[in-house]
Amino acid sequence: MTKLFATRLALAATMLLLVSPAIAAQQDNEAPPAPKPGKLINTGEVLSGELNAMKVRDVKNAGKRIAMYQITSEPRRLPAPNGLCNLETGPETFQLVPSGDAQAAQLKTFAGKEISVKVDEIACASDPGQMSEAVITKWSLIKKQ
């Protein structure tokens, strides 16, 4: 009887050793949790990040090369109706549209540096030529103290 018990115990231990890697592999294959949406950014709030300058071709002006500026920041949600701009976490790149030559010159001096802007008007990118996920059309630069 002891010999029968020992045989069954050895068989059970062998089966357990064969099954445990399969159980561990199944647990590793579980999908990681979905990323949480970024914090909501409303009109009048401050957006901070690194300012990037790029030269792009203007489709409206016979292919003339123009400067485009964008802020790379943490993911942010936009107010309704824009929401997350068809992204899981919200946009991370925000195109700054200068309202004139003065704002363009102001941005040029801060290229590659950390800046903060007060957002007055923001929307998801909709034109095919836009390189950012969201566009800030009205903004003002915040001076660091």
Side-chain angles (χ1 to χ4, degrees), residues 4 23 38 45 58 60 67-68 73 101 103 127 131 138 142:
L4 181 63
I23 292 171
E45 289 189 10
D58 186 9
K60 297 176 185 172
M68 185 193 82
S73 181
D101 291 337
Q103 273 192 335
D127 293 338
M131 309 262 309
K138 293 184 181 176
I142 307 249

Side-chain angles (χ1 to χ4, degrees), residues 41-104:
I41 184 166
N42 289 311
T43 301
E45 289 189 10
V46 175
L47 178 70
S48 297
E50 183 180 347
L51 181 68
N52 299 313
M54 296 179 269
K55 293 277 187 182
V56 295
R57 299 238 179 237
D58 186 9
V59 268
K60 297 176 185 172
N61 198 1
K64 180 182 171 188
R65 291 177 56 95
I66 58 169
M68 185 193 82
Y69 299 94
Q70 72 177 190
I71 293 179
T72 304
S73 181
E74 63 188 20
R76 302 294 292 264
R77 287 183 298 137
L78 276 56
N82 296 306
L84 296 174
C85 291
N86 299 322
L87 302 167
E88 287 183 28
T89 59
E92 294 179 16
T93 57
F94 301 85
Q95 180 179 346
L96 291 177
V97 178
S99 62
D101 291 337
Q103 273 192 335

Side-chain angles (χ1 to χ4, degrees), residues 1-15:
M1 180 136 164
T2 311
K3 188 175 181 183
L4 181 63
F5 178 73
T7 305
R8 288 183 181 170
L9 182 63
L11 181 61
T14 305
M15 288 175 55

